[in-house]
Amino acid sequence: MIKKITYFLFIAISFSCVKEKEKTKITLEDVTNLGFSLQNKSDRDDIPAMNELYDVKAFADIFLLKSADKEVHEFNAGFFMGFSRNFNFGEMLVAQKSEGGSYEFIRAYEDEKNNFHLLFRLYGEGLNYHDYLVKEINGELKIVDMYIYMSGEYLSDTYRTYYKSILDKSNVLTKDLTEITVYQDALKLIEVKELNAAGKFKEAHKVYKSISNSSKVTKAFQLVNIMLTFNLSEDLYYKAIKDYEKRFPNDPSLYLVSLDGLIYKKEFDKAIKSIDKLDELLGGDPFLNYIKGNIYYFEKDYENALGKYAIINLEYPDFIDAYDSALGIYLETNNTEKVIEILELYVNKFEIDKEELKFNLSEFAPAFIKTKEFKNWFSK
């Protein structure tokens, strides 16, 4: 089954002037240590500790309008009060991981403008990458923004669009926000996500259709539509992907967004090229060999698929999904010796009970558990 590509987006807005102490020289080692710190806190699901690594005020200062106008200043203050309460990166990250996701620090790097970054991979129901912008704030290294590969833009850009759309409304400073269409659409989008997460896909789709057309053409709304239609029908899902491609051609997010659509249409060569482009954009990620292996598997190019899974076994020896994928190929090709080899690895390395393995095999490979080879292995 093709895994859907999901995306990770959360509301995090606040406002303040950031006063920085005299800057010291940031080193790549310092930034790398920050990356490992986030990794450690994420592994422990330590929400407060993860939130301490972010400077939300510096984040908001990137996109909120700088103006001496009293009304704008008051609007920004109200905007901050309303949305800063919703900022909880740690909580949102833990929620993503609870759905089976893993969060892994890949590398720290310095870009051509001498800005430092942290690159993380989110993998679970789908694949995404987060590229954090790191700055020194009051003598401490803090994360101040986040480029989300699935959305193809910085989080600050996403919220700059949302913020300006409210600010630009006539008489916005004297109106109740609930009267503004874009605000109503944002609330509906939250409802859509909640209904979708609860498995109420038709209800979610009905709410989505009630959103204004002006909002539905934006990236955030289009991406939610892709996520939603995946659970409704393949035709709607593929159409949602094609609509996104037409609206955002040459966007980096296409390498992830279009992947399922390419596989669905059996355009495997294009799917591989898409992964190659993503790999180049990332500066290299060996984990993408697993995605390539799956594409080769769908193409029934088992030799290349097994070659990619073997690379993953070396790079990520504890990543059980690659062994599962290889097992499926060996079962399909009746390579009993290799099947037994992987079953033995499950028992010894991953400490999976033989009874559990037998039960699982009875679900998707019932003929195999009746073979002499399996019976002999099972009885040992």
Side-chain angles (χ1 to χ4, degrees):
M1 177 179 178
I2 301 174
K3 289 186 176 181
K4 65 187 174 194
I5 303 297
T6 59
Y7 78 106
F8 172 44
L9 198 59
F10 55 88
I11 297 176
I13 300 178
S14 65
F15 176 73
S16 178
C17 295
V18 179
K19 296 180 181 179
E20 298 187 23
K21 294 181 179 180
E22 186 177 349
K23 293 185 177 181
T24 56
K25 176 64 176 177
I26 302 175
T27 68
L28 192 60
E29 182 180 2
D30 295 331
V31 181
T32 299
N33 289 337
L34 179 65
F36 283 122
S37 179
L38 176 55
Q39 174 80 76
N40 179 266
K41 292 168 173 55
S42 172
D43 290 343
R44 294 185 284 111
D45 291 343
D46 192 337
I47 293 173
M50 281 188 276
N51 288 336
E52 287 179 1
L53 300 180
Y54 287 76
D55 194 299
V56 189
K57 295 177 181 179
F59 164 71
D61 196 47
I62 294 173
F63 66 88
L64 292 182
L65 181 64
K66 313 310 187 284
S67 174
D69 187 281
K70 181 181 178 181
E71 289 186 327
V72 173
H73 180 76
E74 290 177 351
F75 175 77
N76 284 342
F79 206 76
F80 159 69
M81 290 180 64
F83 282 90
S84 61
R85 289 192 295 267
N86 294 317
F87 177 77
N88 195 321
F89 170 80
E91 186 175 277
M92 297 299 289
L93 183 55
V94 169
Q96 290 283 313
K97 290 173 56 186
S98 69
E99 298 174 3
S102 64
Y103 207 54
E104 184 172 349
F105 174 46
I106 299 176
R107 73 175 67 86
Y109 71 94
E110 185 176 4
D111 65 22
E112 64 280 358
K113 296 181 180 179
N114 301 120
N115 292 314
F116 285 96
H117 299 255
L118 299 171
L119 183 63
F120 274 77
R121 181 198 319 111
L122 177 65
Y123 177 77
E125 286 294 305
L127 177 66
N128 200 357
Y129 290 89
H130 298 158
D131 188 320
Y132 295 104
L133 178 63
V134 176
K135 297 286 186 182
E136 184 182 9
I137 306 294
N138 294 327
E140 293 184 283
L141 285 182
K142 295 286 185 178
I143 295 168
V144 300
D145 206 352
M146 172 185 184
Y147 183 88
I148 303 171
Y149 271 69
M150 191 63 201
S151 68
E153 63 184 8
Y154 274 96
L155 193 62
S156 58
D157 291 329
T158 303
Y159 286 104
R160 179 181 289 109
T161 301
Y162 175 70
Y163 162 77
K164 283 186 174 181
S165 67
I166 296 178
L167 186 63
D168 291 344
K169 296 293 180 178
S170 61
N171 300 320
V172 67
L173 300 176
T174 59
K175 279 188 174 183
D176 187 330
L177 287 178
T178 57
E179 296 179 12
I180 301 174
T181 299
V182 68
Y183 186 75
Q184 293 173 332
D185 288 343
L187 294 178
K188 288 179 180 179
L189 194 66
I190 294 172
E191 184 180 0
V192 168
K193 292 179 183 179
E194 291 175 345
L195 288 169
N196 189 64
K200 299 178 180 180
F201 308 127
K202 290 183 179 179
E203 293 94 327
H205 194 233
K206 184 178 180 180
V207 175
Y208 184 85
K209 289 193 293 185
S210 72
I211 292 171
S212 70
N213 290 331
S214 60
S215 288
K216 281 193 286 191
V217 298
T218 63
K219 271 189 178 182
F221 285 77
Q222 290 252 313
L223 288 167
V224 169
N225 188 40
I226 291 172
M227 177 180 67
L228 172 61
T229 53
F230 176 86
N231 296 305
L232 291 172
S233 77
E234 287 187 339
D235 289 340
L236 285 174
Y237 179 55
Y238 183 66
K239 182 180 182 302
I241 292 174
K242 295 305 291 183
D243 288 346
Y244 186 88
E245 290 175 342
K246 289 178 182 178
R247 292 195 179 278
F248 305 102
N250 304 315
D251 192 276
S253 60
L254 283 176
Y255 303 140
L256 292 171
V257 172
S258 299
L259 192 58
D260 280 354
L262 292 171
I263 295 172
Y264 171 67
K265 297 293 287 184
K266 301 187 184 303
E267 297 178 357
F268 301 114
D269 288 344
K270 290 183 179 179
I272 292 294
K273 289 179 181 177
S274 182
I275 292 299
D276 286 338
K277 289 178 181 178
L278 176 62
D279 191 51
E280 182 180 355
L281 192 64
L282 291 167
D285 181 11
F287 183 82
L288 289 174
N289 284 291
Y290 176 65
I291 308 300
K292 283 187 177 181
N294 288 343
I295 295 171
Y296 286 126
Y297 173 80
F298 297 137
E299 194 177 6
K300 297 190 181 300
D301 183 351
Y302 294 148
E303 182 178 354
N304 272 323
L306 290 170
K308 297 302 179 183
Y309 297 147
I311 293 173
I312 293 297
N313 295 157
L314 292 173
E315 294 282 347
Y316 306 96
D318 295 326
F319 184 62
I320 196 170
D321 291 27
Y323 298 107
D324 289 343
S325 299
L327 178 66
I329 291 176
Y330 292 135
L331 284 167
E332 285 188 31
T333 56
N334 297 312
N335 192 332
T336 304
E337 182 180 349
K338 285 294 186 179
V339 171
I340 297 298
E341 185 179 309
I342 291 180
L343 293 178
E344 193 69 18
L345 181 141
Y346 285 160
V347 173
N348 295 325
K349 180 178 178 62
F350 296 103
E351 299 181 347
I352 302 175
D353 186 76
K354 283 188 175 184
E355 286 289 350
E356 181 181 346
L357 291 172
K358 182 178 180 181
F359 175 79
N360 291 336
L361 286 168
S362 68
E363 293 290 312
F364 65 89
F368 179 74
I369 63 175
K370 297 177 182 178
T371 64
K372 178 179 66 177
E373 290 85 357
F374 176 79
K375 291 177 179 179
N376 288 340
W377 173 80
F378 187 77
S379 63
K380 290 181 182 179

